[in-house]
C-alpha cells in the first residue's frame, strides 16, 4: 500500500523525495509516522486484508514525506497544508485504489470527527497544535476545504499551483492564496 500510495502521489506533488519507507508493527502507538517510518498496530499484519483506516494512515504518512518533510510548511494555517492537504491526498488515493464507496466512508468519518469539535474550533489560520481540537478540526475540515478547492479550480490546476509553490522548498497557505 505504501508503494502504491507513493506511485499515486508522485504525479500530484512532483518527484519523490529519496526517503526509504519503513512500516513498523507496534503494540502501542499505531497510526503515528515521521520521516518515512510508519507505525501500524501489529494486529494489522494478522488480517487477510488491510482495513481502510490503516490504508488511510499509510497514505497520509506517505504524503507527509513530501509535505512537511521534503518541503517545509510554515506560516499561518500551516496545519491546513500539513494535516488537511495530506488527508485529502490520502482520501483521493483510497478512492483511486478501493473505489468511491470506501472514500465516502472515510469522508463521513472526517465529517463526524470534525462535527465533534465544530462548535469550539477557531479559524484554521489561527488554531495551533496546543489547542485540544487541533487535529480534529485542522485535519478533517482542512481535507474538506481542499476537496472544495479541487472541485472549483479543477484538481489538475490545483496541484500544478501546489507544485509551483513547493519548488523553493517551502510552502505556505499565503503563497497558495496569492497564486490563485
Amino acid at each position: 500500500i505504501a508503494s502504491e500510495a507513493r506511485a499515486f502521489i508522485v504525479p500530484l506533488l512532483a518527484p519523490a523525495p529519496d526517503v526509504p519507507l519503513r512500516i513498523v508493527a507496534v503494540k502501542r502507538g499505531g497510526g503515528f509516522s515521521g520521516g518515512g517510518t510508519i507505525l501500524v498496530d501489529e494486529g494489522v499484519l494478522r488480517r487477510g486484508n488491510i482495513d481502510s483506516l490503516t490504508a488511510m494512515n499509510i497514505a497520509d504518512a506517505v504524503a507527509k514525506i513530501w509535505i512537511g518533510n521534503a518541503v517545509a510548511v510554515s506560516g499561518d494555517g500551516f496545519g491546513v497544508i500539513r494535516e488537511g492537504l495530506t488527508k485529502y491526498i490520502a482520501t483521493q488515493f483510497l478512492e483511486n485504489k478501493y473505489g468511491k464507496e470506501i472514500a465516502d466512508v472515510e469522508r463521513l468519518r472526517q465529517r463526524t470527527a470534525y462535527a465533534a469539535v465544530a462548535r469550539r474550533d477557531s479559524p484554521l489560520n489561527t488554531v495551533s497544535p496546543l489547542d485540544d481540537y487541533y487535529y480534529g478540526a485542522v485535519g478533517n475540515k482542512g481535507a474538506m476545504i481542499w476537496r472544495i478547492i479541487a472541485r472549483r479550480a479543477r484538481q489538475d490546476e490545483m496541484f500544478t499551483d501546489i507544485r509551483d509553490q513547493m519548488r523553493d522548498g517551502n510552502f505556505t497557505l499565503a503563497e497558495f492564496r496569492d497564486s490563485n
Side-chain angles (χ1 to χ4, degrees), residues 22-91:
R22 294 180 183 93
I23 298 180
V24 179
V26 295
K27 290 184 180 184
R28 294 187 298 178
F32 291 100
S33 66
T37 302
I38 305 164
L39 305 179
V40 297
D41 187 85
E42 65 182 357
V44 168
L45 302 177
R46 292 187 203 112
R47 300 182 196 137
N49 294 322
I50 302 250
D51 62 295
S52 65
L53 185 58
T54 301
M56 183 71 181
N57 286 337
I58 291 170
D60 185 58
V62 171
K64 285 180 180 173
I65 291 172
W66 278 268
I67 300 171
N69 284 329
V71 175
V73 178
S74 61
D76 291 340
F78 71 93
V80 176
I81 298 170
R82 173 96 169 115
E83 306 299 333
L85 180 57
T86 58
K87 191 170 282 219
Y88 169 75
I89 292 169
T91 307

Side-chain angles (χ1 to χ4, degrees), residues 119-137:
R119 291 186 182 211
R120 58 191 177 112
D121 76 335
S122 299
L124 293 180
N125 64 339
T126 62
V127 68
S128 81
L130 296 174
D131 297 312
D132 63 340
Y133 54 84
Y134 175 79
Y135 290 101

Side-chain angles (χ1 to χ4, degrees), residues 100-116:
K100 187 176 180 335
E101 303 81 29
I102 301 299
D104 286 344
V105 168
E106 179 54 36
R107 288 183 192 107
L108 176 61
R109 184 180 297 136
Q110 292 166 8
R111 287 191 302 271
T112 303
Y114 173 67

